Amino acid sequence: MHFKKKIVIYIVLYLFVFHTNIAVNGQCVSENTVFKSGEKVYYSAYYNWGFIWLNAGLVSFTATKTKWNDRDAFLLESIGTTRQGYDKIFMVRDTFQSFVTLDKLKPLEFYRATNEGSTKSHHHYIFKEKEKVVKARISRDGKPFESFDIDWIDCSFDVLSMIYQARNIKFENYKVGDRIPITLLVDGEIFNLSILYLGEETVSDRSGRTFACLKFQPELVAGTIFKAGNDMTVWVTKDKNRMPIIVEAKILIGSVKAILLDYEGLRYPLTSLKR
């Protein structure tokens, strides 16, 4: 049961990026056109095992205009927590923060604090654009920090800035069946990623709201959480906000799902909301 409680929160924070075995070059957006400072989006995290769905946690995403070393920037933040009823069994408090440039959302600094039961880890990246290097400091399982440099490949991003980059992709330039390349830096390593575009579909959240959406499916790499294959699906609003509504994935034990709970501060009217 501890494994199940832990994995729900962990996986939801990664559900919007995709590990792939396709070697492709990532891409950068030329301008942020989908969100503004003050946007806040909230999700419920569910774990399914057999016939049982567990409402195990909450995940939030926020974007705030701020300063980074006297430079205008966005602070992107995601927080994952178990619900109060699960804290006594296995408490999770995970925080992801990313400072990015206002225009092209290039990463400047990334911080991740993972607190899951007795397990704690910290990841800190400083992105040095001129030197094309990422200064990384990582502590896993409470062990001392390790410091090392990572070659910064053009158009590669940390896990949180990648989410907001992906929302800015010009999906109208692609047709059903196209793969869209993205490159991710996570756990001190660079991964090549791609998103398979599957077209349009209407979906509903748990409150009965119905949204016109764009649908995507990643190709996954087998590992400690995922099976190999196309076992993850993402739906984002078919409007200028490109807000994720539902993300679901099969994992090694059961499946997980993140469903939109609430939102505020969107940049545009939510015209994809049908009812």
Side-chain angles (χ1 to χ4, degrees):
M1 182 63 73
H2 284 189
F3 170 78
K4 290 187 289 183
K5 299 291 189 295
K6 175 179 178 179
I7 207 66
V8 171
I9 302 303
Y10 180 84
I11 197 61
V12 169
L13 287 170
Y14 285 91
L15 278 175
F16 304 99
V17 292
F18 319 112
H19 294 270
T20 178
N21 56 8
I22 297 178
V24 293
N25 295 321
Q27 62 174 272
C28 308
V29 300
S30 58
E31 180 186 7
N32 168 41
T33 61
V34 303
F35 71 92
K36 65 178 181 179
S37 179
E39 181 190 84
K40 300 178 182 180
V41 189
Y42 308 92
Y43 297 88
S44 291
Y46 297 88
Y47 175 82
N48 175 252
W49 191 29
F51 298 101
I52 302 173
W53 277 100
L54 301 175
N55 188 349
L58 297 168
V59 180
S60 65
F61 290 87
T62 61
T64 308
K65 186 176 179 181
T66 186
K67 291 284 187 179
W68 184 86
N69 290 348
D70 295 324
R71 180 177 182 176
D72 288 335
F74 280 118
L75 169 59
L76 310 176
E77 187 170 38
S78 181
I79 298 175
T81 65
T82 41
R83 291 186 178 274
Q84 187 174 359
Y86 293 95
D87 279 350
K88 293 181 180 180
I89 301 173
F90 195 95
M91 185 176 71
V92 173
R93 297 291 185 273
D94 291 348
T95 299
F96 290 63
Q97 293 179 326
S98 182
F99 291 89
V100 300
T101 61
L102 286 181
D103 50 0
K104 297 183 179 181
L105 308 182
K106 290 184 176 181
L108 301 167
E109 183 174 6
F110 173 78
Y111 176 73
R112 166 186 162 192
T114 302
N115 295 278
E116 300 169 341
S118 60
T119 301
K120 300 181 186 298
S121 64
H122 298 269
H123 295 68
H124 185 211
Y125 305 147
I126 296 291
F127 294 83
K128 299 286 188 179
E129 184 171 14
K130 291 183 179 180
E131 296 91 336
K132 295 296 181 183
V133 68
V134 181
K135 298 288 185 180
R137 293 183 72 245
I138 297 178
S139 170
R140 298 182 176 92
D141 299 325
K143 297 178 180 179
F145 276 91
E146 297 179 21
S147 298
F148 54 95
D149 291 350
I150 305 167
D151 291 336
W152 188 9
I153 301 172
D154 285 341
C155 298
S156 58
F157 304 89
D158 61 75
V159 65
L160 192 52
S161 62
M162 177 68 78
I163 294 170
Y164 288 85
Q165 280 280 332
R167 288 175 58 186
N168 274 278
I169 292 173
K170 302 298 184 184
F171 298 109
E172 60 271 18
N173 295 335
Y174 298 91
K175 63 180 183 296
V176 174
D178 280 350
R179 284 195 174 272
I180 306 168
I182 299 178
T183 304
L184 174 69
L185 169 60
V186 63
D187 290 337
E189 297 183 55
I190 296 289
F191 292 87
N192 293 320
L193 315 167
S194 69
I195 302 173
L196 174 63
Y197 177 50
L198 295 177
E200 302 177 10
E201 191 168 293
T202 299
V203 299
S204 299
D205 63 14
R206 294 185 70 86
S207 69
R209 293 175 298 189
T210 300
F211 300 86
C213 289
L214 302 176
K215 182 181 180 181
F216 309 93
Q217 194 173 67
E219 182 176 1
L220 304 177
V221 169
T224 58
I225 299 173
F226 295 114
K227 301 176 183 179
N230 296 324
D231 284 336
M232 181 184 290
T233 308
V234 183
W235 290 263
V236 301
T237 57
K238 187 191 170 185
D239 55 32
K240 293 182 179 181
N241 298 291
R242 293 292 193 262
M243 180 175 63
I245 301 297
I246 299 175
V247 186
E248 61 183 25
K250 294 180 181 178
I251 57 177
L252 294 181
I253 303 176
S255 60
V256 291
K257 184 179 292 189
I259 302 179
L260 178 69
L261 181 64
D262 202 0
Y263 57 88
E264 59 184 275
L266 298 184
R267 184 168 177 175
Y268 306 101
L270 196 61
T271 57
S272 62
L273 178 60
K274 292 187 173 183
R275 59 179 175 84

